[in-house]
Amino acid sequence: MSRTTHRVGFALVATAYGATMAAGSVPTPLYVLYQHRNHFGTTMVSVVSAVYVVGVVVGLLLAGARADRVGRRTVLGVALVVQLLACLVFVLWPALSGILLARVLSGLSIGLLSGPATAYLIELHRAARPEAAREHAEIVATAANLGGIAAGPLLSGLLAEWAPAPLRLPFVSIGAVLALAALLVAVVPETARPVVRPWSRPLALAPERRLLFLASCLGGLVAFAMFGLFSALSPSFLAGTLGHTSHALAGLVAFLGLGAGAVAQLGLRRLPPRRAMTTVVVLMPLGLGLVVGGVWATALVPFVLGGVLTGAGAGLLFRACLTTVVQLSPVERRAGTLATLFVTSYAGLAIPVIGLGIASQLAGPRGALAGFAALALVGLAAVATVRLRPDPPPLSSAGAAL
């Protein structure tokens, strides 16, 4: 295959990755409408979010065991079809049972996609530009991940506010994009040669620098907990605590918080490793402080600004963790180690939804949010302690980590 073919394939896979992630986050501003239509409360929203994470974990386990066996393109194609099926269920079966099934399917698609798509982009980039640094592919992968998650709520929020059929049109629109992406991905060259061998372990640890690997997984969990705060709960805080019921505003706030993560990865990609982690340690506490302060003071501006700063810090943290895991992983175990990172990271999406839902019943939404922020900062401190050690032991040929 020519380098041009791989370069075009790289762009197509990145687009498909972002579109699938966007489809997974489209329901964010729509939960208020579903609650009104189907007469369920915030507890059921937590259940819907939990089944989504269950689907993600199942998909990650399946992909971790089989992605190296059947090839990247096959797994990516299956993920696109499953996400398209989830959109179809949302359109045709808007009852609560349909919503639950659609979220399981959507999560399954995301789980199937995340690790193999990242590996696919790295391998396509290496084939297209063997002389270029690998970090470019990793940045594009995380930007497609977070950029897609950010774009979904913005799309559905705008359509829900100003277009007809707010519970159907967003899924029809993103479904059309997914269908086109599935057709285009079919022509992307395969980079992993399918082999006949025993099923690999779905999860794996990097054989070197285990503590750094585990800290990276914890960092991914902390980062995705921040994303979960804005992808699932920002509409509830806006409507229930801050008094803003606009669906467009809910989508915009989620977009700003999540989009800041993608922008930070691109804008701060040249920061040296230690300075990048130091930036995270500054941005996330400051952002969380503004978010909590905005909720306690019933003030929209600090809430939104805090979301942007928190999202930027979380995006930079996740990119650092992803880069570390890739660099510490042998090629033959890359799918399993990436699956381990994504399993722990996506578990973070469920923590704010389920934990805050339970804590809100005991301490109210303001107290629950403050407690969540405190726990997140404890986790960040643990990650920073490992990553900012003054004299880390030298790495092997896998490369410097961050």
Side-chain angles (χ1 to χ4, degrees), residues 116-139:
T118 300
Y120 205 2
L121 288 171
I122 291 171
E123 291 157 4
L124 285 168
H125 181 257
R126 183 184 299 119
R129 300 176 60 191
E131 74 286 350
R134 183 177 57 191
E135 285 76 9
H136 174 74
E138 296 162 6
I139 291 171

Side-chain angles (χ1 to χ4, degrees), residues 85-251:
L85 180 60
C87 292
L88 186 63
V89 173
F90 268 118
V91 172
L92 300 179
W93 193 3
L96 178 59
S97 52
I99 296 170
L100 291 170
L101 174 61
R103 290 310 279 162
V104 171
L105 291 172
S106 183
L108 178 63
S109 170
I110 298 301
L112 288 171
L113 177 81
S114 299
T118 300
Y120 205 2
L121 288 171
I122 291 171
E123 291 157 4
L124 285 168
H125 181 257
R126 183 184 299 119
R129 300 176 60 191
E131 74 286 350
R134 183 177 57 191
E135 285 76 9
H136 174 74
E138 296 162 6
I139 291 171
V140 170
T142 49
N145 188 314
L146 299 183
I149 296 175
L154 182 63
L155 170 67
S156 57
L158 293 174
L159 292 177
E161 188 70 23
W162 289 301
L167 295 181
R168 289 184 171 85
L169 186 58
F171 298 104
V172 172
S173 301
I174 195 65
V177 176
L178 291 172
L180 178 60
L183 293 175
L184 294 176
V185 164
V187 303
V188 177
E190 179 59 71
T191 57
R193 178 178 299 175
V195 294
V196 178
R197 65 187 183 195
W199 296 116
S200 59
R201 290 180 297 171
L203 302 179
L205 297 179
E208 302 180 19
R209 301 289 299 278
R210 292 289 181 89
L211 182 60
L212 184 57
F213 176 81
L214 294 175
S216 297
C217 291
L218 176 59
L221 187 149
V222 172
F224 269 66
M226 302 301 104
F227 302 145
L229 179 65
F230 283 90
S231 65
L233 294 180
S234 58
S236 297
F237 280 109
L238 283 170
T241 307
L242 301 179
H244 297 276
T245 58
S246 167
H247 305 304
L249 179 61

Side-chain angles (χ1 to χ4, degrees), residues 189-359:
E190 179 59 71
T191 57
R193 178 178 299 175
V195 294
V196 178
R197 65 187 183 195
W199 296 116
S200 59
R201 290 180 297 171
L203 302 179
L205 297 179
E208 302 180 19
R209 301 289 299 278
R210 292 289 181 89
L211 182 60
L212 184 57
F213 176 81
L214 294 175
S216 297
C217 291
L218 176 59
L221 187 149
V222 172
F224 269 66
M226 302 301 104
F227 302 145
L229 179 65
F230 283 90
S231 65
L233 294 180
S234 58
S236 297
F237 280 109
L238 283 170
T241 307
L242 301 179
H244 297 276
T245 58
S246 167
H247 305 304
L249 179 61
L252 178 62
V253 170
F255 171 77
L256 291 174
L258 297 165
V263 172
Q265 293 170 22
L266 297 174
L268 302 178
R269 65 186 182 276
R270 298 188 185 280
L271 282 180
R274 291 179 62 83
R275 188 176 299 174
M277 191 64 208
T278 302
T279 303
V280 173
V281 172
V282 172
L283 285 178
M284 282 185 59
L286 179 59
L288 282 173
L290 288 171
V291 169
V292 173
V295 170
W296 277 83
T298 319
L300 178 63
V301 172
F303 180 81
V304 175
L305 178 59
V308 171
L309 295 177
T310 302
L316 192 58
L317 175 61
F318 182 68
R319 182 186 68 80
C321 295
L322 175 65
T323 301
T324 297
V325 171
V326 170
Q327 292 176 343
L328 293 178
S329 304
V331 174
E332 67 275 7
R333 299 180 65 180
R334 181 172 292 158
T337 52
L338 283 173
T340 303
L341 172 66
F342 281 112
V343 163
T344 54
S345 298
Y346 277 103
L349 288 179
I351 290 175
V353 179
I354 298 173
L356 280 172
I358 296 173

